[in-house]
Amino acid sequence: MTTIGSEKRKSGAKDEPQGKKVRKDTTDGGNFAKKPPKFPGKNFQGDGKFPGKGFQQKNPVPEKQDWKKFKQQKKELRIKRKEKQKSKDLVDVVNEAKKIYEQLKCKTTKGRADMAAKLHNLLKGGDKYSKMVLSHDTARIVQCLLKVSPPAVRGEIFEKLSGCLAAMAMSKYAHFCVLAMLKHGSAETRERLIEGLFGNYVKLCSHSFGHTIVDSIYITWATAQQKSCMRQEFYSDLYRKDKDRNVKCLVDTFKDAAHMKNIVMGTLKQHIVKAVNKKLVDNSLFHGVLVEYLTECSDEDKLEMATAFSGLLASLASTREGTRAATLCFWYGTAKERRSALKHLREHVEKVCVHEFGYYLILAILHTIDDTKMLKKTLLDTIVEKVETLVQHEGGRKVIEWMIQPGDTNNFHPSVTSALNDGLKYSKKDVSIRRTEILEAVQADLVAAVRKNAKFWLSNGHIARTTATILSREHAGITEAYQNLAKVISDPSWTLEPPKEEENAEESDEEKPEKPKKKFRKVKNPLEKPQSKDVPAAPQVGVEDAGLHIVLKKFIKIPTFAGILLDNLTEETVEKWLPINRGCFLLADILKGAPETEKLLQMLRERREGIEKENSPGARVLLEKI
């Protein structure tokens, strides 16, 4: 059986003539595209085009490799791998060190010296110490080691860190380790540390962390020769490496060579201006150099320095030389600079007044200022407002006493007054007028303060002396102040609180520094009764205090006060005073100074037998009076 398709094929095959087959062109989409020849020419690319000169061969000749560069890359890669491995090892060491440190830092831990030696043996290999001091957590471990370890271990730690002292002093965390070396290290270690920083002190003074190291060294540890060597670095770059033992101060640098003065002063000025721009002026070394510059520079430079430091006087007044420099800057300035200085001092008045040296700056301002109205707004109002806080410190008492009685030899040494008088040539107002205006501005408020809180103003001998100074000038409210003071003095229950002693933390035996041997043996007073440290001191009767006794005798010499005190005395108070030696002397002074003494004489005569039993010098003097 045949199909239709086969029949058609057969019929079609018969119709077509049998001849030669014709090749069809199928370059567009057929399967018979024209193939390129097997062996093309040099520039033939396979698409029938000849690009010409820009043609590049498919397989170019490889370039010659730089074997030195290849070896260097391999070497750097090996070093990185080793460092990575070392860092892994350091992490393990640090973790183990932290575990020991957690026990070592506790004061109650026993055997701390052995633990410190063990920790040092763990860290002393390689450059572990120099890496650990730069981190915030591991730097504490090194600080604890320097504090607790025996001297031999401290010396070894210093040897490990001696090569990077300057970098440590400028590090945020490592500079604490430098301070620990100064505090806990031996004398030899300190000397080597100070000399190891030679050549870097100018840079450290202008660094936010380094200036604290310099300040500690200059104030506490450096000798006179080392201090002069530290100052020499500011004078010229020649002294950074080579020190001259004959140069003790700024003048010595150009004493024999006058032409060097401008060069040295110019170099020193650059260093000062750099520190001022960074506001890093609270440094004892910087203060010493600044005072030398201010005394030798020209008038133009003095005015420039006064302008630059007008807002930084409070920061300068932290050392003796700094206070002197601040005083000179205030004197050298114009009225505009002085007003600016007073405005900046307003918020720091309390701190400056109570400072050991800062109060001298306030005295200089009070002694030479012309604009007393501006002075009252900026300084005097603040001083009067916080007067009870200020009188508890020596500097604050000096300021108040100067405002009431400036230059009084009972309160001020003549040398202080003489030094302050040097600034009068920079002032235009008459001295007496200035003192009168200052007294009028503060006297009423000070007398009112005494009147309001009379017991406080008799709380100890030092404050009582200031009280006597305040009431030494005539004023309308003095009588009322006398009455309030007399009520406190005549109170039978008037006692003084014992001074508060600072509680120091107990140190373990391993932490106590070795005390130097005393050359002389202190002889104990055989009449002094031994007091137990555990038993608190009993409150003292007011009239028994030595300082208050002197002040009360001054008050009693004033007839007005003696009469007021006599009116307030009661029989109970007299009985309380009679067994006390100083109390008997005060009663004798009242009999001598008061206008009407019949009442007191009658009370004393009634108690004559009791007075005769007392064996004190005051009782014998009192018997003669009655």
Side-chain angles (χ1 to χ4, degrees):
M1 186 173 178
T2 59
T3 60
I4 297 173
S6 62
E7 290 178 356
K8 283 183 178 181
R9 243 187 333 268
K10 288 180 181 179
S11 63
K14 290 180 180 179
D15 294 335
E16 291 178 359
Q18 301 218 356
K20 195 175 182 180
K21 291 183 179 180
V22 181
R23 190 170 182 173
K24 293 181 181 180
D25 188 11
T26 56
T27 54
D28 294 332
N31 296 326
F32 303 99
K34 203 169 185 179
K35 296 181 179 179
K38 294 184 177 179
F39 304 101
K42 287 184 179 180
N43 295 332
F44 189 80
Q45 292 184 347
D47 55 354
K49 296 180 181 180
F50 297 88
K53 295 181 181 180
F55 172 72
Q56 294 180 358
Q57 295 182 9
K58 290 185 177 181
N59 298 322
V61 179
E63 296 180 0
K64 191 175 182 180
Q65 190 168 6
D66 190 354
W67 289 102
K68 290 184 178 180
K69 187 176 179 180
F70 179 74
K71 290 178 181 179
Q72 184 65 24
Q73 291 175 354
K74 290 287 185 182
K75 185 177 180 181
E76 291 176 359
L77 187 61
R78 283 196 302 271
I79 292 172
K80 287 181 181 179
R81 287 171 181 167
K82 287 181 181 180
E83 289 179 355
K84 192 174 182 181
Q85 185 64 33
K86 284 182 180 179
S87 63
K88 289 182 179 179
D89 297 340
L90 184 61
V91 169
D92 297 336
V93 171
V94 168
N95 290 333
E96 187 176 353
K98 285 180 179 179
K99 295 178 182 178
I100 302 174
Y101 164 69
E102 291 298 326
Q103 299 178 354
L104 185 64
K105 70 179 182 179
C106 297
K107 295 180 179 179
T108 56
T109 304
K110 296 181 180 179
R112 298 174 74 187
D114 297 335
M115 294 178 67
K118 179 182 176 182
L119 182 57
H120 172 64
N121 292 330
L122 182 66
L123 302 176
K124 68 180 181 180
D127 57 347
K128 295 186 180 69
Y129 274 115
S130 58
K131 291 182 179 179
M132 289 177 65
V133 294
L134 301 175
S135 180
H136 71 283
D137 53 347
T138 53
R140 296 179 182 272
I141 300 174
V142 181
Q143 291 176 54
C144 185
L145 267 178
L146 291 168
K147 180 179 180 181
V148 179
S149 300
V153 175
R154 291 175 189 161
E156 292 181 13
I157 296 173
F158 176 76
E159 292 294 337
K160 293 287 185 180
L161 299 174
S162 59
C164 55
L165 292 175
M168 288 174 61
M170 293 184 286
S171 172
K172 184 177 181 180
Y173 306 109
H175 81 280
F176 292 110
C177 296
V178 180
L179 291 173
M181 290 180 193
L182 291 169
K183 184 177 180 181
H184 304 291
S186 61
E188 183 183 357
T189 300
R190 293 192 198 101
E191 185 176 358
R192 290 182 59 190
L193 192 152
I194 294 170
E195 293 177 354
L197 292 174
F198 279 160
N200 298 287
Y201 282 108
V202 175
K203 188 177 180 180
L204 292 174
C205 279
S206 301
H207 194 272
S208 57
F209 302 121
H211 82 286
T212 58
I213 304 292
V214 178
D215 193 38
S216 177
I217 290 173
Y218 194 83
I219 290 178
T220 312
W221 310 110
T223 61
Q225 182 62 43
Q226 289 171 341
K227 288 180 180 180
S228 65
C229 292
M230 292 165 69
R231 288 195 299 268
Q232 286 176 24
E233 297 186 17
F234 285 84
Y235 302 153
S236 176
D237 294 339
L238 300 174
Y239 296 112
R240 290 200 177 182
K241 293 183 179 180
D242 300 328
K243 310 298 180 184
D244 190 352
R245 292 185 173 272
N246 297 324
V247 176
K248 303 294 182 183
C249 59
L250 178 63
V251 180
D252 294 340
T253 57
F254 50 81
K255 181 172 59 176
D256 298 329
H259 64 280
M260 291 290 294
K261 181 175 180 179
N262 293 333
I263 300 173
V264 173
M265 297 297 286
T267 304
L268 182 54
K269 183 180 178 180
Q270 290 179 0
H271 297 321
I272 292 173
V273 171
K274 184 178 179 181
V276 172
N277 292 336
K278 292 187 175 183
K279 295 184 178 181
L280 296 175
V281 298
D282 188 9
N283 186 291
S284 53
L285 174 58
F286 178 79
H287 295 168
V289 173
L290 179 60
V291 170
E292 291 181 332
Y293 179 78
L294 290 173
T295 54
E296 297 295 332
C297 64
S298 62
D299 294 339
E300 295 179 359
D301 291 334
K302 288 178 181 178
L303 182 59
E304 185 178 350
M305 290 293 109
T307 305
F309 285 98
S310 61
L312 301 172
L313 297 185
S315 300
L316 285 177
S318 58
T319 62
R320 189 186 301 276
E321 292 178 328
T323 305
R324 179 63 180 168
T327 303
L328 292 175
C329 289
F330 183 81
W331 286 347
Y332 296 157
T334 60
K336 182 180 179 181
E337 275 77 32
R338 291 186 179 188
R339 284 194 294 270
S340 175
L342 291 176
K343 288 179 181 178
H344 286 91
L345 268 176
R346 178 187 294 178
E347 56 184 338
H348 306 289
V349 172
E350 184 180 356
K351 293 181 180 179
V352 175
C353 286
V354 302
H355 193 270
E356 182 182 3
F357 307 110
Y359 76 92
Y360 185 85
L361 174 61
I362 305 298
L363 297 185
I365 294 172
L366 294 173
H367 195 51
T368 56
I369 190 70
D370 291 332
D371 191 355
T372 52
K373 291 184 179 179
M374 185 69 181
L375 178 69
K376 186 178 186 303
K377 292 179 182 178
T378 53
L379 299 188
L380 299 184
D381 290 345
T382 307
I383 291 172
V384 172
E385 182 183 353
K386 300 181 179 181
V387 63
E388 292 190 1
T389 304
L390 298 180
V391 295
Q392 299 180 38
H393 305 270
E394 183 181 0
R397 292 192 292 269
K398 293 289 185 184
V399 171
I400 295 167
E401 290 165 359
W402 186 274
M403 292 190 297
I404 303 297
Q405 290 183 344
D408 185 13
T409 54
N410 293 324
N411 299 322
F412 301 95
H413 195 273
S415 62
V416 176
T417 307
S418 177
L420 291 173
N421 287 336
D422 294 340
L424 292 176
K425 59 185 178 182
Y426 303 103
S427 178
K428 298 178 181 179
K429 185 174 286 188
D430 186 63
V431 176
S432 59
I433 295 175
R434 182 190 302 107
R435 291 179 176 181
T436 303
E437 290 176 352
I438 293 174
L439 180 64
E440 291 175 354
V442 299
Q443 187 180 17
D445 294 328
L446 293 177
V447 172
V450 175
R451 186 175 64 250
K452 289 178 183 178
N453 194 359
K455 189 174 182 180
F456 169 79
W457 289 92
L458 293 174
S459 56
N460 60 56
H462 300 294
I463 297 177
R465 283 192 62 186
T466 307
T467 308
T469 304
I470 293 172
L471 301 180
S472 62
R473 296 294 188 98
E474 294 182 1
H475 192 267
I478 285 181
T479 304
E480 188 177 351
Y482 282 161
Q483 292 174 353
N484 293 343
L485 291 174
K487 290 178 182 178
V488 175
I489 297 168
S490 60
D491 186 3
S493 61
W494 178 42
T495 56
L496 304 178
E497 295 181 1
K500 297 179 180 179
E501 296 181 357
E502 297 182 358
E503 297 180 357
N504 297 324
E506 295 181 358
E507 297 181 350
S508 62
D509 296 336
E510 297 168 340
E511 293 182 8
K512 289 182 180 178
E514 296 180 1
K515 295 182 179 180
K517 295 181 180 179
K518 296 181 179 179
K519 295 182 179 179
F520 303 100
R521 184 180 178 183
K522 186 178 179 180
V523 180
K524 294 183 179 180
N525 185 2
L527 301 177
E528 185 179 357
K529 296 180 180 180
Q531 295 181 354
S532 176
K533 294 182 180 180
D534 299 332
V535 179
Q540 188 181 27
V541 180
V543 295
E544 197 174 1
D545 183 75
L548 274 170
H549 179 70
I550 296 172
V551 175
L552 293 179
K553 288 179 71 176
K554 289 182 179 180
F555 276 134
I556 292 169
K557 289 179 181 179
I558 304 171
T560 306
F561 182 84
I564 295 173
L565 180 60
L566 182 58
D567 295 338
N568 285 275
L569 280 179
T570 60
E571 294 185 358
E572 186 179 358
T573 305
V574 173
E575 290 180 357
K576 189 79 175 284
W577 286 13
L578 287 176
I580 302 171
N581 181 36
R582 292 193 174 103
C584 294
F585 275 113
L586 289 178
L587 291 172
D589 291 336
I590 293 172
L591 291 174
K592 183 180 179 180
E596 297 179 1
T597 59
E598 294 179 1
K599 178 183 175 182
L600 180 59
L601 281 172
Q602 185 178 358
M603 286 190 291
L604 293 174
R605 286 167 183 166
E606 292 175 357
R607 295 166 178 79
R608 187 181 184 91
E609 294 180 359
I611 297 172
E612 290 176 350
K613 293 179 181 179
E614 299 293 336
N615 193 24
S616 62
R620 291 194 292 270
V621 172
L622 188 59
L623 285 172
E624 295 176 0
K625 295 287 184 180
I626 60 176

